Coordinates of all heavy atoms in Angstrom, one line a residue:
M122 N -64.5 139.9 -44.0 CA -65.6 140.0 -42.9 C -65.3 139.0 -41.8 O -65.0 137.9 -42.0 CB -66.9 139.8 -43.6 CG -68.1 139.9 -42.6 SD -69.6 139.9 -43.6 CE -70.6 141.1 -42.7
F123 N -65.6 139.4 -40.6 CA -65.4 138.5 -39.4 C -66.5 137.6 -39.3 O -67.8 137.9 -39.4 CB -65.4 139.4 -38.2 CG -65.1 138.6 -36.9 CD1 -63.9 138.1 -36.7 CD2 -66.1 138.5 -36.0 CE1 -63.6 137.3 -35.5 CE2 -65.9 137.7 -34.8 CZ -64.7 137.2 -34.7
D124 N -66.3 136.3 -39.1 CA -67.2 135.2 -39.1 C -67.4 135.0 -37.6 O -66.8 134.2 -37.0 CB -66.8 134.0 -39.8 CG -67.9 132.9 -40.0 OD1 -68.9 133.1 -39.2 OD2 -67.8 131.9 -40.6
F125 N -68.5 135.6 -37.1 CA -68.8 135.5 -35.6 C -69.1 134.0 -35.2 O -68.7 133.5 -34.1 CB -69.9 136.4 -35.2 CG -70.2 136.3 -33.7 CD1 -69.3 137.0 -32.8 CD2 -71.3 135.6 -33.2 CE1 -69.6 136.9 -31.4 CE2 -71.6 135.6 -31.9 CZ -70.7 136.2 -31.0
L126 N -69.9 133.3 -36.0 CA -70.3 131.8 -35.6 C -68.9 131.0 -35.6 O -68.9 130.2 -34.7 CB -71.3 131.3 -36.7 CG -72.7 132.0 -36.6 CD1 -73.5 131.4 -37.8 CD2 -73.2 131.7 -35.3
K127 N -68.1 131.2 -36.6 CA -66.8 130.4 -36.6 C -66.0 130.7 -35.4 O -65.3 129.9 -34.7 CB -66.0 130.7 -37.9 CG -64.9 129.9 -38.1 CD -64.2 130.1 -39.4 CE -62.9 129.3 -39.5 NZ -62.4 129.5 -40.8
F128 N -66.0 132.0 -35.0 CA -65.2 132.4 -33.8 C -65.8 131.8 -32.6 O -65.1 131.2 -31.7 CB -65.2 134.0 -33.8 CG -64.6 134.4 -32.4 CD1 -63.2 134.4 -32.3 CD2 -65.3 134.9 -31.5 CE1 -62.6 134.8 -31.2 CE2 -64.7 135.5 -30.3 CZ -63.3 135.4 -30.1
K129 N -67.1 131.8 -32.4 CA -67.9 131.3 -31.3 C -67.6 129.8 -31.2 O -67.4 129.3 -30.1 CB -69.3 131.7 -31.4 CG -70.1 131.4 -30.2 CD -71.5 131.9 -30.3 CE -72.3 131.5 -29.1 NZ -73.7 132.0 -29.2
R130 N -67.7 129.1 -32.3 CA -67.5 127.7 -32.3 C -66.0 127.4 -31.9 O -65.8 126.4 -31.2 CB -67.7 127.1 -33.8 CG -67.4 125.6 -33.8 CD -67.7 125.0 -35.2 NE -69.1 124.9 -35.2 CZ -69.8 124.8 -36.4 NH1 -69.1 124.9 -37.5 NH2 -71.1 124.6 -36.4
K131 N -65.1 128.1 -32.4 CA -63.7 127.9 -32.0 C -63.5 128.1 -30.5 O -62.8 127.3 -29.8 CB -62.7 128.8 -32.7 CG -61.2 128.5 -32.6 CD -60.4 129.3 -33.5 CE -59.0 128.9 -33.2 NZ -58.1 129.8 -34.1
R132 N -64.1 129.1 -29.9 CA -64.1 129.3 -28.4 C -64.7 128.2 -27.7 O -64.1 127.7 -26.7 CB -64.8 130.7 -28.1 CG -63.9 131.8 -28.1 CD -64.5 133.1 -27.6 NE -65.5 132.9 -26.6 CZ -66.4 133.8 -26.3 NH1 -66.6 134.8 -27.0 NH2 -67.2 133.4 -25.3
K133 N -65.8 127.7 -28.2 CA -66.5 126.6 -27.6 C -65.7 125.3 -27.6 O -65.6 124.6 -26.6 CB -67.9 126.3 -28.3 CG -68.8 125.4 -27.6 CD -70.1 125.3 -28.3 CE -71.0 124.5 -27.4 NZ -72.4 124.4 -28.1
D134 N -65.0 125.1 -28.8 CA -64.0 123.9 -28.9 C -63.0 124.1 -27.9 O -62.6 122.9 -27.3 CB -63.5 123.8 -30.4 CG -64.6 123.4 -31.3 OD1 -65.7 123.0 -31.0 OD2 -64.4 123.5 -32.6
C135 N -62.4 125.1 -27.8 CA -61.3 125.4 -26.9 C -61.7 125.0 -25.4 O -61.1 124.4 -24.6 CB -60.7 126.8 -26.9 SG -59.8 127.1 -28.4
S136 N -62.9 125.5 -25.2 CA -63.5 125.3 -23.9 C -63.7 123.8 -23.5 O -63.5 123.3 -22.5 CB -64.9 126.0 -23.7 OG -65.6 125.8 -22.4
I137 N -64.2 123.1 -24.5 CA -64.5 121.7 -24.5 C -63.2 121.0 -24.3 O -63.1 120.1 -23.4 CB -65.3 121.1 -25.7 CG1 -66.6 121.7 -25.7 CG2 -65.3 119.6 -25.7 CD1 -67.4 121.4 -27.0
E138 N -62.1 121.4 -25.1 CA -60.8 120.7 -24.9 C -60.3 120.9 -23.5 O -59.7 120.1 -22.9 CB -59.8 121.3 -25.9 CG -60.0 120.8 -27.3 CD -59.1 121.5 -28.3 OE1 -58.1 122.1 -28.0 OE2 -59.5 121.4 -29.5
R139 N -60.5 122.2 -23.0 CA -60.0 122.4 -21.6 C -60.7 121.6 -20.6 O -60.1 121.1 -19.6 CB -60.2 123.9 -21.3 CG -59.4 124.5 -20.2 CD -59.4 126.1 -20.1 NE -60.6 126.7 -20.5 CZ -60.8 127.4 -21.6 NH1 -59.8 127.6 -22.4 NH2 -62.0 128.0 -21.9
E140 N -62.0 121.4 -20.7 CA -62.8 120.6 -19.9 C -62.4 119.1 -19.9 O -62.2 118.4 -18.9 CB -64.3 120.7 -20.2 CG -64.9 122.0 -19.6 CD -64.9 121.9 -18.2 OE1 -65.1 121.0 -17.5 OE2 -64.4 123.1 -17.6
L141 N -62.1 118.6 -21.1 CA -61.6 117.3 -21.3 C -60.3 117.1 -20.6 O -60.1 116.0 -20.1 CB -61.5 117.0 -22.8 CG -62.8 116.8 -23.6 CD1 -62.6 116.6 -25.1 CD2 -63.6 115.5 -23.0
K142 N -59.4 118.0 -20.7 CA -58.1 118.0 -20.1 C -58.3 117.9 -18.6 O -57.6 117.1 -17.8 CB -57.3 119.1 -20.4 CG -56.6 119.0 -21.7 CD -55.7 120.3 -22.0 CE -55.2 120.1 -23.4 NZ -54.4 121.3 -23.9
N143 N -59.3 118.8 -18.1 CA -59.5 118.7 -16.6 C -60.1 117.3 -16.1 O -59.7 116.8 -15.0 CB -60.5 119.8 -16.2 CG -59.9 121.2 -16.3 OD1 -58.6 121.3 -16.2 ND2 -60.7 122.2 -16.4
I144 N -61.1 116.9 -17.0 CA -61.6 115.5 -16.6 C -60.5 114.5 -16.7 O -60.5 113.6 -15.8 CB -62.7 115.3 -17.6 CG1 -64.0 116.1 -17.5 CG2 -63.2 113.7 -17.6 CD1 -65.0 116.1 -18.4
K145 N -59.6 114.5 -17.7 CA -58.5 113.5 -17.7 C -57.6 113.5 -16.4 O -57.2 112.6 -15.9 CB -57.7 113.7 -18.9 CG -56.6 112.7 -19.2 CD -55.8 113.0 -20.5 CE -54.7 112.1 -20.7 NZ -54.0 112.3 -21.9
K146 N -57.4 114.8 -16.0 CA -56.5 115.0 -14.8 C -57.3 114.3 -13.5 O -56.7 113.7 -12.7 CB -56.2 116.5 -14.5 CG -55.2 117.0 -15.4 CD -55.0 118.5 -15.1 CE -54.1 119.0 -16.2 NZ -53.8 120.6 -16.0
E147 N -58.6 114.6 -13.5 CA -59.4 114.1 -12.4 C -59.4 112.5 -12.5 O -59.2 111.9 -11.4 CB -60.8 114.5 -12.4 CG -61.0 116.0 -11.9 CD -60.7 116.1 -10.5 OE1 -61.1 115.3 -9.7 OE2 -60.0 117.1 -10.2
I148 N -59.5 112.0 -13.7 CA -59.5 110.5 -13.7 C -58.2 109.9 -13.3 O -58.1 108.9 -12.6 CB -59.8 110.1 -15.2 CG1 -61.3 110.3 -15.5 CG2 -59.4 108.6 -15.5 CD1 -61.7 110.1 -17.0
Q149 N -57.0 110.6 -13.7 CA -55.7 110.1 -13.3 C -55.5 110.2 -11.8 O -55.0 109.4 -11.2 CB -54.6 111.0 -14.0 CG -54.5 110.8 -15.4 CD -53.6 111.8 -16.2 OE1 -53.3 112.8 -15.8 NE2 -53.1 111.3 -17.3
T150 N -56.1 111.3 -11.1 CA -56.0 111.5 -9.7 C -56.8 110.4 -9.0 O -56.3 109.7 -8.0 CB -56.5 112.9 -9.3 OG1 -55.7 113.9 -9.9 CG2 -56.4 113.0 -7.8
I151 N -58.0 110.1 -9.5 CA -58.8 109.0 -8.9 C -58.2 107.7 -9.1 O -58.2 106.9 -8.1 CB -60.2 109.0 -9.6 CG1 -61.0 110.4 -9.1 CG2 -61.0 107.8 -9.2 CD1 -62.2 110.5 -9.9
T152 N -57.6 107.5 -10.3 CA -56.8 106.2 -10.5 C -55.7 106.0 -9.5 O -55.6 105.0 -8.9 CB -56.3 106.1 -12.0 OG1 -57.4 106.3 -12.9 CG2 -55.6 104.8 -12.3
L153 N -54.9 107.0 -9.3 CA -53.9 107.0 -8.3 C -54.4 106.7 -6.9 O -53.8 105.9 -6.2 CB -53.0 108.3 -8.3 CG -52.1 108.5 -9.5 CD1 -51.4 109.9 -9.5 CD2 -51.1 107.5 -9.6
E154 N -55.5 107.4 -6.5 CA -56.1 107.1 -5.2 C -56.5 105.7 -5.1 O -56.3 105.2 -4.0 CB -57.2 108.1 -5.0 CG -56.7 109.6 -4.8 CD -57.8 110.6 -4.7 OE1 -59.0 110.2 -4.9 OE2 -57.5 111.8 -4.5
V155 N -57.1 105.2 -6.1 CA -57.6 103.8 -6.0 C -56.5 102.9 -6.0 O -56.4 101.9 -5.2 CB -58.5 103.5 -7.3 CG1 -58.8 102.0 -7.4 CG2 -59.8 104.2 -7.2
E156 N -55.3 103.1 -6.7 CA -54.2 102.3 -6.6 C -53.5 102.3 -5.2 O -53.1 101.3 -4.7 CB -53.1 102.7 -7.7 CG -53.5 102.4 -9.0 CD -52.5 103.0 -10.1 OE1 -51.7 103.7 -9.7 OE2 -52.7 102.7 -11.3
E157 N -53.6 103.5 -4.6 CA -53.0 103.5 -3.2 C -54.0 102.7 -2.2 O -53.4 102.0 -1.4 CB -53.1 105.0 -2.7 CG -52.0 105.8 -3.3 CD -52.0 107.3 -2.6 OE1 -52.5 107.4 -1.6 OE2 -51.5 108.1 -3.4
L158 N -55.3 102.8 -2.4 CA -56.2 102.1 -1.6 C -56.0 100.5 -1.7 O -56.0 99.8 -0.8 CB -57.6 102.3 -1.9 CG -58.1 103.8 -1.5 CD1 -59.5 104.1 -2.0 CD2 -58.0 103.9 0.1
V159 N -55.7 100.0 -3.0 CA -55.4 98.7 -3.3 C -54.2 98.2 -2.6 O -54.2 97.2 -1.9 CB -55.4 98.5 -4.8 CG1 -54.8 97.0 -5.1 CG2 -56.7 98.6 -5.5
V160 N -53.1 99.0 -2.6 CA -51.9 98.6 -2.0 C -52.1 98.6 -0.5 O -51.7 97.7 0.1 CB -50.8 99.7 -2.3 CG1 -49.6 99.6 -1.4 CG2 -50.4 99.6 -3.7
I161 N -52.8 99.6 0.2 CA -53.2 99.6 1.5 C -53.9 98.4 1.9 O -53.6 97.6 2.9 CB -53.9 100.9 1.9 CG1 -53.0 102.1 1.9 CG2 -54.5 100.8 3.3 CD1 -53.7 103.5 2.0
N162 N -55.0 98.0 1.1 CA -55.8 96.9 1.4 C -54.9 95.6 1.3 O -55.1 94.7 2.0 CB -56.9 96.8 0.4 CG -57.9 95.7 0.7 OD1 -58.2 95.5 1.8 ND2 -58.5 95.2 -0.3
Q163 N -54.0 95.5 0.3 CA -53.1 94.3 0.1 C -52.3 94.2 1.3 O -52.0 93.1 1.9 CB -52.3 94.4 -1.1 CG -53.2 94.1 -2.4 CD -52.4 94.3 -3.7 OE1 -51.3 94.9 -3.6 NE2 -52.9 93.9 -4.7
T164 N -51.7 95.4 1.8 CA -50.9 95.3 3.0 C -51.6 94.9 4.3 O -51.1 94.0 4.9 CB -50.3 96.7 3.2 OG1 -49.6 97.2 2.1 CG2 -49.3 96.7 4.4
K165 N -52.9 95.4 4.4 CA -53.6 95.0 5.5 C -53.9 93.4 5.4 O -53.9 92.7 6.4 CB -54.9 95.8 5.6 CG -54.7 97.1 6.1 CD -56.1 97.9 6.2 CE -56.0 99.3 6.6 NZ -57.2 99.9 6.7
S166 N -54.2 92.9 4.3 CA -54.5 91.5 4.1 C -53.2 90.6 4.4 O -53.4 89.7 5.0 CB -54.9 91.3 2.6 OG -56.2 91.8 2.4
I167 N -52.1 91.2 4.0 CA -50.9 90.4 4.3 C -50.6 90.5 5.8 O -50.3 89.4 6.3 CB -49.6 91.1 3.5 CG1 -49.8 90.8 2.0 CG2 -48.3 90.5 4.1 CD1 -48.8 91.6 1.2
D168 N -50.8 91.6 6.5 CA -50.6 91.7 7.9 C -51.6 90.7 8.6 O -51.2 90.1 9.6 CB -50.9 93.2 8.4 CG -49.8 94.0 7.9 OD1 -48.7 93.6 7.6 OD2 -49.9 95.4 8.1
M169 N -52.9 90.7 8.2 CA -53.8 89.7 8.8 C -53.4 88.3 8.6 O -53.5 87.5 9.5 CB -55.2 90.0 8.3 CG -55.8 91.3 8.6 SD -57.4 91.7 7.9 CE -58.3 90.2 8.3
A170 N -52.9 88.0 7.4 CA -52.4 86.6 7.1 C -51.3 86.2 8.0 O -51.2 85.2 8.6 CB -52.0 86.5 5.7
I171 N -50.4 87.2 8.3 CA -49.2 86.9 9.2 C -49.7 86.7 10.6 O -49.2 85.8 11.2 CB -48.2 88.1 9.0 CG1 -47.5 88.1 7.7 CG2 -47.1 87.9 10.2 CD1 -46.7 89.2 7.4
E172 N -50.6 87.5 11.0 CA -51.2 87.4 12.3 C -51.9 86.1 12.6 O -51.7 85.3 13.5 CB -52.2 88.4 12.6 CG -51.6 89.8 13.1 CD -52.7 90.9 13.4 OE1 -53.7 90.5 14.0 OE2 -52.5 92.0 12.9
N173 N -52.6 85.7 11.5 CA -53.3 84.3 11.5 C -52.3 83.2 11.6 O -52.5 82.3 12.4 CB -54.2 84.1 10.3 CG -55.5 85.0 10.5 OD1 -55.8 85.5 11.6 ND2 -56.1 85.2 9.3
L174 N -51.3 83.2 10.8 CA -50.3 82.3 10.8 C -49.6 82.2 12.2 O -49.2 81.1 12.7 CB -49.3 82.5 9.6 CG -49.7 82.1 8.3 CD1 -48.7 82.5 7.3 CD2 -50.0 80.6 8.1
S175 N -49.2 83.3 12.7 CA -48.6 83.5 14.0 C -49.5 82.8 15.1 O -49.0 82.1 15.9 CB -48.3 84.9 14.3 OG -47.8 85.1 15.6
D176 N -50.8 83.1 15.0 CA -51.7 82.6 16.0 C -51.7 81.1 15.8 O -51.7 80.3 16.9 CB -53.1 83.1 15.9 CG -53.2 84.6 16.3 OD1 -52.3 85.1 17.0 OD2 -54.2 85.3 15.8
R177 N -51.8 80.5 14.7 CA -51.8 79.1 14.4 C -50.6 78.4 14.8 O -50.6 77.4 15.4 CB -52.1 78.8 13.0 CG -53.6 79.2 12.5 CD -53.7 79.2 11.0 NE -53.7 77.9 10.5 CZ -53.7 77.5 9.2 NH1 -53.8 78.5 8.3 NH2 -53.6 76.3 8.8
L178 N -49.4 79.1 14.7 CA -48.1 78.5 15.0 C -48.1 78.5 16.6 O -47.6 77.5 17.2 CB -47.0 79.4 14.5 CG -45.6 79.0 14.9 CD1 -45.4 77.6 14.4 CD2 -44.6 80.0 14.3
K179 N -48.6 79.5 17.3 CA -48.7 79.5 18.8 C -49.6 78.3 19.3 O -49.1 77.7 20.2 CB -49.2 80.8 19.3 CG -48.2 82.0 19.1 CD -48.8 83.3 19.6 CE -47.9 84.4 19.4 NZ -48.6 85.7 19.6
K180 N -50.6 78.1 18.6 CA -51.5 77.0 19.0 C -50.8 75.7 18.7 O -50.9 74.8 19.6 CB -52.8 77.0 18.2 CG -53.8 78.1 18.6 CD -55.0 78.1 17.7 CE -55.9 79.3 18.1 NZ -57.0 79.4 17.1
V181 N -50.1 75.5 17.6 CA -49.5 74.3 17.3 C -48.3 74.0 18.4 O -48.1 72.9 18.9 CB -48.9 74.3 16.0 CG1 -48.0 73.1 15.7 CG2 -50.0 74.3 14.9
E182 N -47.6 75.1 18.7 CA -46.5 75.0 19.7 C -47.0 74.7 21.1 O -46.4 74.0 21.9 CB -45.7 76.2 19.7 CG -44.8 76.5 18.5 CD -44.1 77.9 18.4 OE1 -44.5 78.7 19.3 OE2 -43.2 78.0 17.7
G183 N -48.2 75.1 21.4 CA -48.8 75.0 22.7 C -49.3 73.6 22.8 O -49.6 73.1 24.0
I184 N -49.6 72.8 21.8 CA -50.2 71.4 21.9 C -49.1 70.4 22.6 O -48.0 70.4 22.5 CB -50.5 70.9 20.5 CG1 -51.7 71.7 20.0 CG2 -50.9 69.4 20.5 CD1 -52.2 71.3 18.7

């Protein structure tokens, strides 16, 4: 005899597993985007530091 409740539960479990995989992919995508933003932010910080040092050097040379 076919156990409808068992079949329904199995379908539900598969659906939950699929959703968990989708959530995991989304988390990985967000993680990569955050890592890119961190790199961009670090690059901007380095550029600003170089500009500040350059400005300070120009001031010292101008003295």
Side-chain angles (χ1 to χ4, degrees):
M122 180 173 216
F123 183 72
D124 188 352
F125 182 74
L126 291 177
K127 187 175 180 181
F128 175 75
K129 190 173 180 180
R130 177 177 282 155
K131 187 173 182 176
R132 272 188 32 204
K133 190 173 185 178
D134 289 347
C135 289
S136 176
I137 290 170
E138 287 176 16
R139 198 168 36 251
E140 280 299 312
L141 286 173
K142 285 180 183 177
N143 288 339
I144 290 169
K145 184 177 178 181
K146 286 179 186 176
E147 282 296 317
I148 289 171
Q149 289 172 338
T150 300
I151 291 169
T152 301
L153 288 174
E154 290 173 354
V155 168
E156 288 173 354
E157 281 182 30
L158 290 173
V159 167
V160 169
I161 289 170
N162 190 32
Q163 288 174 345
T164 303
K165 285 182 181 179
S166 295
I167 292 169
D168 289 344
M169 287 176 56
I171 290 170
E172 279 182 43
N173 288 340
L174 288 173
S175 177
D176 291 345
R177 289 170 67 187
L178 181 61
K179 288 176 186 173
K180 288 179 184 176
V181 169
E182 287 175 345
I184 292 177

